[in-house]
Amino acid sequence: MSEVNIMDNEVDIVIGALQSDLTSFMNEWRPVFIRYHLIIVKDPDLKEELQIPEGFNLDVYSKSDIDRVVGSSKSILFSGFSCRYFGYLVSRKKYIISIDDDCVPARDDKGILVDAAAEHISNLATPATPYFFNTLYDPYREGADFVRGYPFSLRSGVTCALSCGLWLNLADFDAPTQALKPGQRNSRYVDAVMTVPARAFMPMSGINIAFDREAVGPALFPALRLAGEGKLRWETMEDIWSGMCVKVVCDHLGLGVKTGLPYVWRKDRGNAVETLKKEWEGVKQMEEVVPFFQSVRMPQTATTAEQCVVEMATRVKEQLGSVDTGFTRAAEAMIEWLKLWKAVGSSSSVPGV
Amino acid sequence: MSEVNIMDNEVDIVIGALQSDLTSFMNEWRPVFIRYHLIIVKDPDLKEELQIPEGFNLDVYSKSDIDRVVGSSKSILFSGFSCRYFGYLVSRKKYIISIDDDCVPARDDKGILVDAAAEHISNLATPATPYFFNTLYDPYREGADFVRGYPFSLRSGVTCALSCGLWLNLADFDAPTQALKPGQRNSRYVDAVMTVPARAFMPMSGINIAFDREAVGPALFPALRLAGEGKLRWETMEDIWSGMCVKVVCDHLGLGVKTGLPYVWRKDRGNAVETLKKEWEGVKQMEEVVPFFQSVRMPQTATTAEQCVVEMATRVKEQLGSVDTGFTRAAEAMIEWLKLWKAVGSSSSVPGV
């Protein structure tokens, strides 16, 4: 593929609001957000009214909207961090950028404010190279190229469908790591973007991502819900699970996943030691999740993300269902998501809500 | 695995001398090289006497040594960039670091001189994580860790057998890229080390590498020689080919490969446009080489690097021999290398020369 041109009006920025006062969050992001249409989804568990400063082009969705659109669905809950997925459902744009509401713009290694949206869009607009590893990182960045030995036939790359950004300050560690190293903060700004190779899996963090909604939106869902799921990132796994699914889809459909830039600055939030009192359910589940996704294969008949999700849900139920009922529920939620995606008309670009 | 402690006397730094006057090269590297034993192998095509400043602990090998040790071998030529491999053969140390003689120490993003040897050793001394991708790069570096979702069972990692460093200033591009962008220089210092995932292949550049000689030395050989091979890096492929072999070995034996740091500063050298007048044989060959290595599988009976190389040589001859006689010669050279490795006693730590 060659580079594509992504227009501002092809992008929705989706924010899941877990806190009611978004004033400082929105104001800090103003220079970045001002160019795009925003979808703000209020956590249905949040009682207080949202406070949003003026001057943005945005739509706000709350519990009543979710109830109206999703109706009687019991398999999927759009509460907590999962509320953002409602935004993915009602968006009609080709691309989505989503950033947690406890993050603000980061500064790069030269002290310049990072335009996270522009960097995500650049990742999605240039090809990914999943079939051979380029040691000088993303060959499409300015000043970079393919190194000696890189096959010319692979240099055109494939469409990038998912861009995973990172975090300065409070990194996305799990609860045990956070509790063991309460003072640890990430201060290393690594100026690199790279393609995650085909068949390699990464733990996708939903904190700071962008994706091609038309291509892989059907695989970005809040399917795996922990029994003790809370309102802190380290108490959730829905994004990690969805990231494994979307990587299977990308590998099967010949799409690419990039990771690295942009960084966001993640503010301190929550008490990891408190979280440790809960069960480490997510940590245990990954021991089953990773081997499953590493070995699952899609049939050649699956040619869309929707079809891949159907196939995966079947295999999850068959192979993981006996291990943990949470996986059975995840499989049901995946199928439910596809029904919603169709019912809401998410695959079309004509508003269906 | 846990971290291992690597002593200075377990390391040989091997330099292939393609230029006779090593004075400035050695002096620039003095603060780094001074702690280690050096093996300098003079390109047998080089007529002038080597000029090496005093004050180093080193052994120099020249054409007469090569002739004496290698004897009547016709399959392997130790000329040009391949001369360094003679150093790999006669070394009795567990680890080798090898750096091209047109490179000098780089400065990091804070302007501090990079100790390339220390960084290579750190890469080899800490585990690699080939079975799952850590988005915050090498989790064993200071200030880093495994991110949320990384399975705990995979956090002990595997032994790292190969460390691939990078280049500032003149990057390791191929002749067409260098000729198309004669002014392009790499100025991006990326402060990251990462494991190349299992089953993913990278083009290993021999300019700046380190490896566990005992574990993978039998797979680091000058086997693929281009018909028009010259004295410029972009006119060679022997390291790329060997890198594909060593990655197959590592994946099969459960060893890891890291890439990223250290950087070296690579001085300008050669005229890429002149090189373009030659045939782009190496560029064409990679189109066959990559699919072959991506699909080749080692039998369970192969439990050492030596056995893997035997298996690979057989498959190269069978599957690539009909494409290009250069591949048949490469297969023969691989078998010849194993013979030399045994004859010279390279697998033991008792000098056999």
Side-chain angles (χ1 to χ4, degrees):
Chain A
M1 68 161 289
S2 51
E3 299 193 15
V4 295
N5 199 10
I6 298 178
M7 310 295 287
D8 291 354
N9 64 9
E10 291 181 283
V11 178
D12 268 335
I13 296 182
V14 174
I15 306 298
L18 275 77
Q19 52 184 329
S20 56
D21 188 354
L22 295 179
T23 310
S24 92
F25 169 78
M26 296 289 284
N27 282 333
E28 293 214 52
W29 280 106
R30 189 178 292 271
V32 175
F33 284 2
I34 198 74
R35 295 168 56 188
Y36 305 94
H37 177 252
L38 310 183
I39 291 178
I40 296 180
V41 185
K42 185 185 170 190
D43 177 2
D45 298 340
L46 199 61
K47 299 294 170 235
E48 301 80 14
E49 207 144 300
L50 287 189
Q51 293 177 47
I52 302 171
E54 298 213 329
F56 294 95
N57 170 20
L58 56 79
D59 289 308
V60 177
Y61 296 89
S62 58
K63 188 170 186 305
S64 60
D65 300 297
I66 296 173
D67 289 344
R68 178 171 53 81
V69 171
V70 176
S72 60
S73 168
K74 298 231 175 3
S75 302
I76 297 189
L77 291 174
F78 288 99
S79 66
F81 284 100
S82 294
C83 68
R84 79 195 55 221
Y85 293 86
F86 185 78
Y88 302 174
L89 207 57
V90 298
S91 169
R92 290 297 169 276
K93 301 292 175 63
K94 184 167 167 59
Y95 300 98
I96 298 263
I97 297 170
S98 187
I99 292 169
D100 275 9
D101 67 353
D102 54 358
C103 299
V104 295
R107 287 181 185 278
D108 69 14
D109 49 355
K110 292 171 193 70
I112 298 166
L113 215 64
V114 170
D115 184 341
E119 290 190 1
H120 272 307
I121 288 170
S122 166
N123 289 345
L124 293 170
T126 52
T129 52
Y131 304 124
F132 203 61
F133 189 91
N134 193 50
T135 49
L136 279 186
Y137 310 99
D138 187 344
Y140 298 98
R141 285 188 79 197
E142 208 186 311
D145 212 317
F146 291 97
V147 298
R148 179 170 57 96
Y150 204 102
F152 275 67
S153 61
L154 295 178
R155 294 189 185 197
S156 51
V158 303
T159 301
C160 179
L162 174 66
S163 164
C164 301
L166 296 173
W167 339 274
L168 289 172
N169 193 39
L170 193 67
D172 190 13
F173 297 131
D174 49 45
T177 304
Q178 198 64 55
L180 275 167
K181 303 179 176 178
Q184 177 144 317
R185 296 294 177 273
N186 185 33
S187 60
R188 184 178 287 131
Y189 183 92
V190 175
D191 186 15
V193 173
M194 77 200 63
T195 295
V196 182
R199 305 281 171 225
F201 285 89
M202 74 293 161
M204 182 187 84
S205 163
I207 293 173
N208 169 24
I209 60 167
F211 58 95
D212 182 334
R213 201 186 59 85
E214 289 180 3
V216 296
L220 278 133
F221 36 56
L224 187 69
R225 177 168 281 268
L226 301 182
E229 182 158 319
K231 303 284 182 188
L232 296 168
R233 263 295 178 199
W234 52 66
E235 299 171 343
T236 66
M237 283 281 293
E238 110 286 335
D239 52 346
I240 308 287
W241 174 271
S242 171
M244 300 294 282
C245 294
V246 81
K247 188 62 168 52
V248 169
V249 169
C250 286
D251 284 345
H252 182 70
L253 299 182
L255 300 168
V257 173
K258 291 186 189 176
T259 181
L261 303 181
Y263 281 89
V264 295
W265 182 271
R266 198 158 167 253
K267 291 184 176 175
D268 290 359
R269 177 169 168 179
N271 181 336
V273 179
E274 281 301 309
T275 301
L276 272 187
K277 295 176 187 164
K278 300 186 180 187
E279 218 193 339
W280 298 1
E281 194 191 0
V283 166
K284 282 184 266 176
Q285 284 182 344
M286 285 309 286
E287 300 299 328
E288 310 290 339
V289 166
V290 170
F292 168 77
F293 282 105
Q294 284 177 334
S295 64
V296 75
R297 290 288 177 277
M298 298 290 98
Q300 284 308 315
T301 49
T303 56
T304 64
E306 286 91 332
Q307 289 165 347
C308 289
V309 171
V310 171
E311 297 288 342
M312 259 184 288
T314 306
R315 287 162 176 72
V316 167
K317 203 173 263 190
E318 282 170 5
Q319 295 175 40
L320 292 179
S322 59
V323 177
D324 189 322
T325 54
F327 295 133
T328 308
R329 284 195 298 274
E332 285 160 5
M334 288 158 73
I335 297 299
E336 181 71 20
W337 177 260
L338 294 180
K339 281 187 199 157
L340 287 173
W341 195 261
K342 200 174 168 192
V344 178
S346 309
S347 57
S348 80
S349 53
V350 184
V353 193
Chain B
M1 68 161 289
S2 51
E3 300 192 15
V4 294
N5 199 10
I6 298 178
M7 311 294 289
D8 292 354
N9 64 8
E10 292 180 281
V11 178
D12 268 335
I13 296 181
V14 173
I15 306 298
L18 275 77
Q19 52 185 329
S20 57
D21 187 355
L22 295 179
T23 310
S24 92
F25 169 78
M26 297 289 283
N27 282 333
E28 294 215 51
W29 279 106
R30 188 178 292 271
V32 174
F33 284 2
I34 198 75
R35 296 167 55 187
Y36 305 94
H37 177 253
L38 311 183
I39 292 177
I40 297 180
V41 185
K42 185 184 170 190
D43 177 2
D45 298 341
L46 199 61
K47 299 293 169 235
E48 301 81 12
E49 209 145 298
L50 287 189
Q51 294 177 48
I52 302 171
E54 298 212 329
F56 294 94
N57 171 19
L58 56 79
D59 289 307
V60 177
Y61 297 89
S62 59
K63 189 169 185 304
S64 60
D65 301 296
I66 296 173
D67 289 344
R68 180 172 51 84
V69 172
V70 176
S72 61
S73 168
K74 299 232 174 2
S75 302
I76 298 189
L77 291 174
F78 289 99
S79 66
F81 285 99
S82 295
C83 68
R84 78 194 57 219
Y85 294 86
F86 185 78
Y88 302 173
L89 207 57
V90 298
S91 169
R92 290 297 170 274
K93 302 291 176 66
K94 184 167 167 58
Y95 300 97
I96 299 263
I97 297 170
S98 188
I99 292 168
D100 275 9
D101 67 352
D102 54 357
C103 299
V104 295
R107 289 184 182 275
D108 69 14
D109 48 356
K110 292 170 193 71
I112 297 167
L113 215 63
V114 170
D115 184 340
E119 291 189 1
H120 272 307
I121 288 171
S122 166
N123 290 347
L124 293 170
T126 53
T129 52
Y131 304 123
F132 203 62
F133 188 91
N134 193 51
T135 49
L136 280 185
Y137 310 99
D138 188 341
Y140 299 98
R141 285 187 79 197
E142 207 186 310
D145 212 318
F146 292 97
V147 299
R148 179 170 57 96
Y150 204 102
F152 274 67
S153 61
L154 295 178
R155 293 188 187 199
S156 51
V158 303
T159 300
C160 180
L162 174 65
S163 164
C164 302
L166 296 173
W167 339 273
L168 288 173
N169 194 39
L170 193 68
D172 189 13
F173 297 131
D174 50 44
T177 304
Q178 198 63 56
L180 275 165
K181 303 177 175 179
Q184 177 142 317
R185 295 296 177 270
N186 185 33
S187 59
R188 184 178 286 130
Y189 182 92
V190 174
D191 185 15
V193 173
M194 78 199 64
T195 295
V196 182
R199 304 281 170 224
F201 285 88
M202 74 293 161
M204 182 187 83
S205 162
I207 292 173
N208 168 23
I209 60 166
F211 58 95
D212 182 334
R213 200 187 59 86
E214 289 180 4
V216 297
L220 279 132
F221 34 57
L224 187 70
R225 177 168 282 267
L226 301 183
E229 181 158 320
K231 303 284 182 188
L232 297 167
R233 263 296 178 197
W234 53 65
E235 298 171 345
T236 66
M237 284 280 293
E238 108 287 335
D239 51 347
I240 308 286
W241 174 271
S242 171
M244 301 294 281
C245 294
V246 81
K247 188 60 168 53
V248 169
V249 170
C250 286
D251 284 346
H252 182 70
L253 299 181
L255 300 168
V257 173
K258 291 186 189 175
T259 181
L261 303 182
Y263 280 89
V264 293
W265 182 272
R266 199 158 167 254
K267 292 183 175 174
D268 290 359
R269 177 169 169 178
N271 181 335
V273 179
E274 280 302 309
T275 300
L276 274 187
K277 294 176 186 163
K278 300 187 179 186
E279 217 193 339
W280 298 1
E281 195 190 359
V283 165
K284 282 185 264 177
Q285 284 183 344
M286 284 308 287
E287 301 298 329
E288 310 291 339
V289 166
V290 170
F292 168 77
F293 283 105
Q294 284 177 334
S295 64
V296 76
R297 290 288 177 277
M298 297 291 98
Q300 283 308 314
T301 50
T303 57
T304 63
E306 284 92 333
Q307 290 165 347
C308 289
V309 171
V310 172
E311 296 288 341
M312 259 183 289
T314 306
R315 287 163 177 71
V316 167
K317 202 172 262 188
E318 283 170 6
Q319 295 174 42
L320 292 179
S322 58
V323 177
D324 189 323
T325 54
F327 294 133
T328 307
R329 284 195 298 273
E332 285 160 4
M334 288 158 72
I335 296 299
E336 181 71 20
W337 177 260
L338 293 181
K339 280 186 199 157
L340 287 173
W341 196 261
K342 200 175 166 190
V344 178
S346 309
S347 57
S348 81
S349 51
V350 183
V353 193

